[in-house]
Amino acid sequence: MSAQNPAPVKRIGVPDIRARKGGEPLVCLTAYDAPTARLLDPHCDVLLVGDSVGMVVHGLPNTIPVTLDMMILHGQAVMRGASRAMVVVDMPFGSYEASPEQAFMNAARILRETGAQAVKLESGVYIADTIRYLVDRGVPVMAHVGLRPQAALAEGGFKAKGRSEDERARVLNEARAADAAGAFAIVVEGVAEDLAAELTGVVAAPTIGIGASASCDGQILVTPDMLGLFDWTPRFVKRYADLKGLTEDAVKAYADDVRARRFPGPDQVYRITRA
């Protein structure tokens, strides 16, 4: 290959993710648009087009109203921006629970229309048969156990799991069932630290923690949270920037310049070129 035509970047795939079990931690973040995906791509192993898009982009109160069309639209955008990281698209509430056949039709549509590498399902034990059905038909599945945002209405909000023996057993059973069904990775959200560590040790699939434990095989955060775009973030989020403050300062400076007629200035206008 010449310098003008560099070799294409090899995209991370399911075997690459599986091989990271117990090794170098997986770096994962959410992405919902092409420019953000382009910025994150060099640094991340997985970009998740999460149904959190409903809350952080569309201003919805929870993830329940998110539609399949919304997920496909954002998945397409992320795929345009990412060339290296694996792209995983969330299956939204109501798109996979009715039957394995329903799940396959919708998962196939997501993969076909976005070009993404995998889908993610929130994984109660009852979903294990659906995971197996998808995997047997060539659909890579990332599972999601512990705090499941799509169950927030039934569970009375977003609450950490695994603080009681009954909850611990339920989360462990969810993870084991998803693992046995063939999920290539498992997101572990909002669970007690020791439970996340125990869970990571008993499943063959790599675990990806969010509000879980550093013992997980990787970590994921909602990107706008870790960039400090909101007034409030969950306890488990570390803010790596204050983009809210920077944005407010930039917009105020712009507004001040417009009102004072300092913008546009000489460098931002066009002039007629005279012969």
Side-chain angles (χ1 to χ4, degrees), residues 103-125:
F104 177 77
M105 293 300 295
N106 288 328
R109 185 183 166 204
I110 289 172
L111 298 184
R112 183 172 59 248
E113 295 186 23
T114 67
Q117 287 71 61
V119 297
K120 181 169 78 64
L121 282 67
E122 293 192 9
S123 313
V125 171

Side-chain angles (χ1 to χ4, degrees), residues 51 90 106 116 121 132 135-136 165 177-179 182 210 212-213 223 236:
D51 59 359
D90 259 342
N106 288 328
L121 282 67
R132 185 175 293 107
V135 171
D136 286 348
E165 290 304 316
D179 191 45
I210 175 168
S213 167
T223 300
F236 56 77

Side-chain angles (χ1 to χ4, degrees), residues 224-232 239-254:
D225 282 345
M226 59 87 72
L227 292 177
L229 279 168
F230 302 120
D231 289 324
W232 177 86
R239 290 194 183 208
Y240 285 84
D242 177 24
L243 293 198
K244 179 177 181 292
L246 289 173
T247 302
E248 288 172 341
D249 290 345
V251 173
K252 181 181 182 302
Y254 165 72

Side-chain angles (χ1 to χ4, degrees), residues 6-138:
V9 176
K10 182 180 182 295
R11 191 181 289 277
I12 294 169
V14 168
D16 303 305
I17 300 300
R18 283 189 176 278
R20 297 281 284 277
K21 179 70 179 180
E24 180 183 4
L26 294 159
V27 178
C28 315
L29 285 169
T30 63
Y32 315 110
D33 58 73
T36 302
R38 194 170 293 114
L39 290 171
L40 303 182
D41 190 52
H43 310 287
C44 293
D45 303 299
V46 176
L47 295 180
L48 173 64
V49 187
D51 59 359
S52 51
V53 68
M55 301 172 72
V56 302
V57 175
H58 294 277
L60 296 171
N62 52 51
T63 63
I64 304 302
V66 173
T67 67
L68 195 64
D69 286 341
M70 288 168 64
M71 296 309 305
I72 289 172
L73 180 67
H74 288 281
Q76 290 168 338
V78 170
M79 282 298 294
R80 293 185 196 109
S83 60
R84 173 187 170 276
M86 168 183 270
V87 175
V88 181
V89 179
D90 259 342
M91 296 193 69
F93 179 73
S95 69
Y96 60 92
E97 294 91 341
S99 68
E101 293 80 8
Q102 178 210 29
F104 177 77
M105 293 300 295
N106 288 328
R109 185 183 166 204
I110 289 172
L111 298 184
R112 183 172 59 248
E113 295 186 23
T114 67
Q117 287 71 61
V119 297
K120 181 169 78 64
L121 282 67
E122 293 192 9
S123 313
V125 171
Y126 73 97
I127 290 296
D129 288 342
T130 296
I131 294 174
R132 185 175 293 107
Y133 188 92
L134 295 179
V135 171
D136 286 348
R137 284 155 181 80

